[in-house]
Each structure stands twice: as structure tokens, then as C-alpha cells.
Amino acid sequence: MMKWTALCLVALLLYGSFCDAQRFQEIIGQSPHDHQQGKQIIERPLQWSFPADPTTRPEILIPNEIRHPASANSVAVNCGENIVQVIVQKDMFGIGQYVDPRHLTLGSCGFVTEDIANDGSSVIVFQSEVHGCDSSLSMTQDSLIYTYDLKYNPEGVVMRINRAAVTVECHYPRIHNVSSLPLIPYWVPFSATKVSEEFLYFTLKLMTDDWQHQRSTDVYYLGTSIKIEASVMQYFHVPLRVFIDRCVISIRPDPTSNPNYAFIENGCLVDGINSASKFMNRDADDKLRFELAALMFQGYENERLYITCYLKATSINHGINSERRACSYSNGWYEASGVNEACNTCDSSGPASSGQSTFVNYNPGSTSGSAGSGQRVSQSGSRMQTVTHIHFFLSVMEWESQVTLEIRVHQNPDA
């Protein structure tokens, strides 16, 4: 009985499964025989593929050569009788890099100043006595040879220019006068040539009242102001500052002839103590202007007058002091460049005249003159005579010149 019951249950389950399958086939509209699993047919081949590796454009190789610095003609020497001047271009290696002057030495000597050469390049100037800067002396049959070591030794953590050493030589003939045949080797700029000639152009000019032009006449009247400009033409030399050490008026070209009157002494315009004479404020180092109240010698009213001034010039790197100054008096002494302490000793430079002569100075409202006034001479503002010397004063190089002007001073017709 149990076996037949189990068989009946199995038969019922199989019948139920068959009925469910038939009903499903009817729903989808297919017969059980039509429902077969098959492969999917692809009408077109697949187009996708793995991306290719990127390609780079081939680089164009440009020939590149290592640039080696060319030899630079950057060191020049001027061999003088007593002085040697070495001029070094700041672009010493010709690579567009300036050397630091503080790291450049000539033997045991540092540089003196920086300058501009005639081609516009920046240069470093060394200057020494022939025997200085640890120079060494050697001799040949015909020459004395002084040798100097120019060294560049950069300091600091970063170094952009190599160390360098250059040998500089000065050759002097043994059998000739050294001052007459100095040998100047290598490149020599125009400024160095002027120094070797020991000559600079100093001038005195009579100027118009506005200081803009040179005056066309040398005639003045008592009571007027004579405007004079002293200057030094320095070419491409180290910038210079001009001074007037002394000025004397006389009736002859010889400033020591009698009568004479010194109206500038030791850089102090002492004539301004008793007149309106004064230095103008300096607006350029190579020029110095001053005004002088017109005057004449008593008893020499119709004589020509000669103004002789002793000019000197030094590098602008040297300061203004009691040896180099331009002082005027107006309720006290003051200096044309504003360094008034340089005038402290002007009180000891009083007016000095010789020949027991007095000067006639025009005072409005009076026909009589007062003693102690200055007088000038000019030759239409042109340089009459110039004698230039070069010397050293306490290691300072100075150029000196004596310049003379010729003028005429007449009585004021309206007085």
C-alpha cells in the first residue's frame, strides 16, 4: 500500500511539471521543439582593438658647440717716468661678465678708481710708482724691465669667473734718458696718452651775465661785476675737479710785477671781504665760476689789466679740504660745494698786494674809491698762456696750470 502511494505522488509531480512547461511554451509562442540554444551570429566583424602606443615626433638636433672665451685685449699699461698706470677693462675676460674691482690687485696694490674709456667701456685704473706694488726689476743688454703681477682672485661662496693672473711689463731703454723715450706697450687709450703727456687744457673765460655764453668784449666799468669761468677739459680721463689756488691782478702779463693784487689766496676769495666778489655754487666738477667786482689801480686808470690764475685739478675721488677748496665770504666763509669746514683757515689768508699801490673800486653815490678791492684782466675770455705740470701731493695726483686773461676797466661815465 505504501509503495503504490509513493508511485502516485511521483506521477502527479511529473504531470504537474509537464503541464507547467507546456503552459510556458504557449505563452512565448514557441513549441518545446523550437526552443533551442544556439550561437549568436555577428553580422560585422568587431572594429575595436587595443590602442597603439603613442608615437613622438622625432627631435631636430641642432649642432651645438661649446663656446670658449676669446682672448680679450683688456689690459693696457702706461709706463711713465715715475708713474705706472695699468688700465683693466671690467669685462676682463671678454665674456660679458664684469669682474669685481675689489678682488683685482696689482701686486700688493688695490685699484685707484673706475673710469670710462674712449670707446665707452668701463675700466679699472691702477696707479703706482715704478718701484711700487711689489714690482720686480730685470735687465737686458738694452732695457730695464719692471714686471707687475695683475691678479684676479674672486672671493665668496659662489664664483662665476675664473681666477686669473696677468704679467704686466714696462720696458725702459738703459742707454737713453728715461723721460725722453718711455715705451708704452699694448693698447693705450686716448686718456692714457694725455696723462703720459702730463697735459690737460685749463681755460679762463669771461661769461655773460646769465652764464650761458662767453662774453664778446673785455671792457668793463667800475661798479659792474666780472663773471669768470675756470674749467679743465678732461677728455675721457678720470673725472676731475678744478680749483683756483691763487689769482693775481697786475698791469703787466708778469703777475709778480708792480703793482699787483692777489684777490684769491689758497682757494679763498679774500677780495669778497670788502666787496661783492664771490664763488658761485658749483654745478659741475670740471668748472668753477666766480664774480669779481670791477676795479683798477690808482694812477693806472687807462692801463690794461692782466688776471693770472693758478688752477689745479684732482680726481673727484679726493675730498675737498684746506688744500683744495673754493671759499667765499659773506658774514662768514662758505665753500662752493657745501664743504664749509674746508674754509676754517681762510681767515689767515688776508688780502695781499705789493708795490704800495691802492685800487679804485666804484661805490654808487661816491666818486672816491676804497682800498682793498680787486681788479681783473681778460683777453676776450681766451687763454693767453697755459703751462701745465703734474705732481704728487701726499699721494694725490694734481695737475696745475697758470692761465692769464686780459681786460680793460674804465671809469663809470655816469658816476
Side-chain angles (χ1 to χ4, degrees):
M1 188 70 182
M2 293 295 293
K3 294 181 179 178
W4 287 109
T5 302
L7 291 171
C8 288
L9 291 173
V10 170
L12 289 174
L13 290 173
L14 292 173
Y15 179 78
S17 300
F18 176 80
C19 290
D20 291 338
Q22 188 176 9
R23 189 179 296 110
F24 178 76
Q25 293 295 329
E26 291 176 355
I27 292 173
I28 64 175
Q30 296 180 352
S31 63
H33 301 286
D34 295 334
H35 182 71
Q36 296 179 357
Q37 182 177 4
K39 294 182 179 179
Q40 182 179 2
I41 298 174
I42 300 175
E43 297 180 357
R44 292 181 303 176
L46 293 175
Q47 301 296 324
W48 181 89
S49 63
F50 284 100
D53 293 334
T55 59
T56 58
R57 182 177 298 176
E59 297 182 359
I60 300 176
L61 299 179
I62 300 175
N64 186 19
E65 297 180 357
I66 299 176
R67 295 181 58 187
H68 297 281
S71 298
N73 186 19
S74 57
V75 179
V77 59
N78 173 36
C79 302
E81 179 179 352
N82 300 312
I83 302 301
V84 172
Q85 187 180 62
V86 177
I87 302 172
V88 184
Q89 294 189 12
K90 293 191 73 173
D91 186 8
M92 183 177 176
F93 298 90
I95 58 175
Q97 289 281 350
Y98 281 1
V99 299
D100 189 335
R102 297 172 300 175
H103 303 157
L104 195 63
T105 57
L106 182 67
S108 59
C109 302
F111 75 103
V112 174
T113 187
E114 298 180 43
D115 197 2
I116 303 297
N118 57 345
D119 60 356
S121 61
S122 299
V123 296
I124 305 166
V125 180
F126 292 85
Q127 193 164 274
S128 169
E129 295 183 357
V130 173
H131 302 281
C133 295
D134 294 336
S135 62
S136 60
L137 172 63
S138 60
M139 291 183 290
T140 64
Q141 183 176 356
D142 301 320
S143 302
L144 295 173
I145 303 174
Y146 288 89
T147 304
Y148 307 84
D149 291 327
L150 179 68
K151 295 182 179 180
Y152 182 67
N153 187 20
E155 300 176 358
V157 178
V158 177
M159 185 173 66
R160 292 185 172 87
I161 302 178
N162 293 334
R163 295 181 175 88
V166 179
T167 300
V168 179
E169 294 182 351
C170 280
H171 294 240
Y172 297 94
R174 293 183 62 184
I175 58 176
H176 296 285
N177 188 342
V178 173
S179 63
S180 62
L181 293 174
L183 178 62
I184 305 177
Y186 309 119
W187 165 77
V188 180
F190 182 65
S191 59
T193 302
K194 281 296 171 187
V195 173
S196 67
E197 293 175 359
E198 301 180 352
F199 188 84
L200 294 175
Y201 287 103
F202 290 83
T203 59
L204 283 179
K205 293 188 294 185
L206 299 175
M207 304 297 292
T208 56
D209 289 341
D210 59 1
W211 295 101
Q212 298 300 311
H213 305 283
Q214 185 171 345
R215 201 170 187 266
S216 59
T217 178
D218 60 359
V219 177
Y220 293 90
Y221 291 97
L222 289 177
T224 60
S225 177
I226 303 173
K227 293 177 170 58
I228 300 177
E229 179 184 270
S231 64
V232 56
M233 187 178 296
Q234 55 194 27
Y235 302 97
F236 294 98
H237 193 269
V238 175
L240 300 176
R241 184 182 291 118
V242 66
F243 297 94
I244 301 176
D245 190 56
R246 190 169 188 262
C247 279
V248 179
I249 298 177
S250 59
I251 62 173
R252 294 180 178 84
D254 181 6
T256 63
S257 62
N258 292 326
N260 67 68
Y261 172 67
F263 59 90
I264 295 180
E265 286 281 7
N266 299 324
C268 304
L269 212 166
V270 293
D271 185 62
I273 298 176
N274 298 314
S275 71
S277 301
K278 63 180 180 180
F279 283 110
M280 310 303 293
N281 291 334
R282 192 190 288 271
D283 56 5
D285 289 312
D286 60 343
K287 296 179 181 179
L288 183 59
R289 295 168 172 173
F290 65 92
E291 293 183 354
L292 186 62
L295 52 85
M296 63 178 60
F297 287 96
Q298 192 75 268
Y300 298 90
E301 288 79 1
N302 296 322
E303 298 287 345
R304 285 184 174 271
L305 298 173
Y306 297 87
I307 298 178
T308 301
C309 289
Y310 301 88
L311 310 181
K312 62 183 179 183
T314 62
S315 169
I316 62 173
N317 294 324
H318 301 300
I320 297 173
N321 52 37
S322 60
E323 299 294 333
R324 292 171 289 276
R325 60 190 177 183
C327 298
S328 302
Y329 185 85
S330 177
N331 295 323
W333 292 98
Y334 64 92
E335 211 276 329
S337 298
V339 188
N340 297 334
E341 57 268 21
C343 303
N344 291 340
T345 59
C346 280
D347 288 331
S348 60
S349 301
S353 62
S354 63
Q356 303 298 323
S357 297
T358 59
F359 300 87
V360 178
N361 173 266
Y362 174 72
N363 294 316
S366 173
T367 59
S368 62
S370 61
S373 175
Q375 184 182 18
R376 304 168 180 47
V377 183
S378 72
Q379 187 182 3
S380 300
S382 62
R383 186 181 71 253
M384 182 174 179
Q385 182 181 7
T386 301
V387 180
T388 308
H389 303 280
I390 183 173
H391 65 92
F392 280 84
F393 178 76
L394 296 178
S395 74
V396 177
M397 180 177 283
E398 288 185 349
W399 288 263
E400 290 185 347
S401 179
Q402 175 181 320
V403 186
T404 302
L405 293 178
E406 182 180 353
I407 63 171
R408 290 175 291 176
V409 178
H410 298 309
Q411 295 278 356
N412 193 326
D414 298 329

